[in-house]
Amino acid sequence: MTEATIPVSSVGTTGVSRFAGILSSLRRSPAGFIGFLIVALLVLVTAIVPFFLPDVAPNVKEILLPAGSPGHLLGTDNEGKDVLIQMIGGGRTVIFVGFIAAAISTALAIVLGSLAAYLGGWVDSVVVTLADVFLTVPQIVLLAVMGAFFKLDSPILLALLVGGLSWPVLTRAVRAQVFSLKEREFVEAARLLDLGTIRVVFVEILPNMASFILMNFMIGVTNAIYQLVGLYLLGLAPLSGANWGIMLNRAWIAGAIFNDASLAWILSPILAITLLLLGLVMMTRSLEEILNPRLRDR
């Protein structure tokens, strides 16, 4: 997915006023509002409902029950564990890591890209070189290598790994936007007042990129979830506990796709991941239309 571009007309406005009208604007966009509802519902269900569900325990008497079996709406897996309970509780890690990783990569991109463009010189050269080095290595390959060498037994470590490798593309985009904004009159005025680099960059320039940063954060969440699920599917992340990626890995290894009775076992996490990503994509596309006048006027 291509990076969003910041419209010229947004320069000089504050991020606060833009964020205040986003939800009301989404309500006027059916696709965006449906996407918001999907994401909000999945987050609430996976965060709250598991506290009211019984623990999942292996049961050799109920192995690979088909969907619709008494007491097991989506059947059971090859250990006799209820698939529905695993699916409801399995989204917490995926969603948590996805949002934290996107926050890490977005924060890195904002700091590095904005300072590189504003300060220039050797700072710009170092940041651009680092970004180019990271971009030349396929990210999924680098994740696979690091996952094989390090014990990623914590969601925080997974978020740090995914987020720490996902900043270069957005960094270059932020750098390009700051290059154009730093020549504006209000930035020149801030310089003449000697407000300092930190104040000029993070108070005067960045608020004008609020919508741009928000949309790219949502894109970052989607990409982080893809990468996390890929790590689990390839068996490069710890397969302890239960989440959608682990369910996919175990179902695939057990050959669930070839057994009609266990199709719900492998299709349930796929459906949940698809719904989450679909909701995020719908929200992102609608936000881009809302915040970019050139798209809104088409």
Side-chain angles (χ1 to χ4, degrees):
M1 186 177 293
T2 58
E3 301 292 338
T5 57
I6 182 171
V8 175
S9 61
S10 65
V11 175
T13 61
T14 62
V16 176
S17 60
R18 285 184 172 274
F19 284 120
I22 284 176
L23 186 57
S24 61
S25 298
L26 279 176
R27 290 176 182 173
R28 296 193 294 270
S29 172
F33 192 60
I34 291 172
F36 171 77
L37 290 179
I38 291 173
V39 174
L41 181 62
L42 285 173
V43 170
L44 289 175
V45 168
T46 57
I48 298 174
V49 175
F51 292 105
F52 302 97
L53 295 176
D55 293 333
V56 181
N59 188 342
V60 295
K61 297 180 181 180
E62 297 183 336
I63 291 177
L64 294 179
L65 293 180
S69 299
H72 302 286
L73 183 62
L74 296 179
T76 59
D77 62 13
N78 60 348
E79 295 180 351
K81 297 179 180 179
D82 186 86
V83 171
L84 179 59
I85 294 178
Q86 292 184 72
M87 190 181 74
I88 293 174
R92 283 183 294 184
T93 300
V94 174
I95 295 173
F96 173 79
V97 172
F99 276 89
I100 297 299
I104 292 171
S105 63
T106 303
L108 285 173
I110 290 171
V111 173
L112 294 176
S114 57
L115 291 179
Y118 186 78
L119 297 176
W122 69 268
V123 176
D124 186 39
S125 299
V126 170
V127 171
V128 171
T129 301
L130 281 175
D132 289 341
V133 169
F134 274 85
L135 286 172
T136 56
V137 181
Q139 198 169 98
I140 189 64
V141 175
L142 187 57
L143 283 170
V145 171
M146 296 190 71
F149 278 96
F150 298 99
K151 186 178 181 181
L152 306 175
D153 54 357
S154 166
I156 298 295
L157 288 177
L158 283 169
L160 287 172
L161 175 60
V162 175
L165 297 175
S166 304
W167 57 270
V169 174
L170 182 55
T171 296
R172 295 179 69 91
V174 170
R175 174 176 171 270
Q177 298 298 337
V178 174
F179 264 129
S180 65
L181 288 174
K182 74 175 186 177
E183 304 300 331
R184 305 289 179 173
E185 292 80 1
F186 66 95
V187 177
E188 292 293 338
R191 284 176 179 168
L192 292 174
L193 291 173
D194 196 21
L195 297 180
T197 300
I198 301 299
R199 171 71 183 270
V200 173
V201 172
F202 295 102
V203 178
E204 302 296 331
I205 295 179
L206 287 183
N208 293 282
M209 300 169 57
S211 60
F212 171 81
I213 292 170
L214 174 62
M215 288 183 288
N216 280 280
F217 170 77
M218 301 303 296
I219 295 172
V221 174
T222 304
N223 293 334
I225 291 173
Y226 275 127
Q227 294 166 13
L228 177 65
V229 173
L231 283 176
Y232 279 116
L233 185 59
L234 295 173
L236 297 172
L239 300 177
S240 58
N243 63 53
W244 296 335
I246 293 175
M247 289 178 67
L248 270 177
N249 176 276
R250 290 177 174 169
W252 181 260
I253 292 175
I257 195 171
F258 304 109
N259 186 347
D260 292 341
S262 57
L263 281 179
W265 178 21
I266 193 171
L267 291 180
S268 297
I270 292 176
L271 178 62
I273 294 168
T274 302
L275 279 176
L276 176 60
L277 295 178
L278 178 63
L280 289 170
V281 169
M282 291 170 68
M283 281 180 61
T284 303
R285 289 178 64 87
S286 295
L287 284 174
E288 187 172 4
E289 293 176 0
I290 291 167
L291 299 172
N292 191 331
R294 286 175 290 183
L295 295 178
R296 187 171 59 240
D297 296 338
R298 285 182 180 179

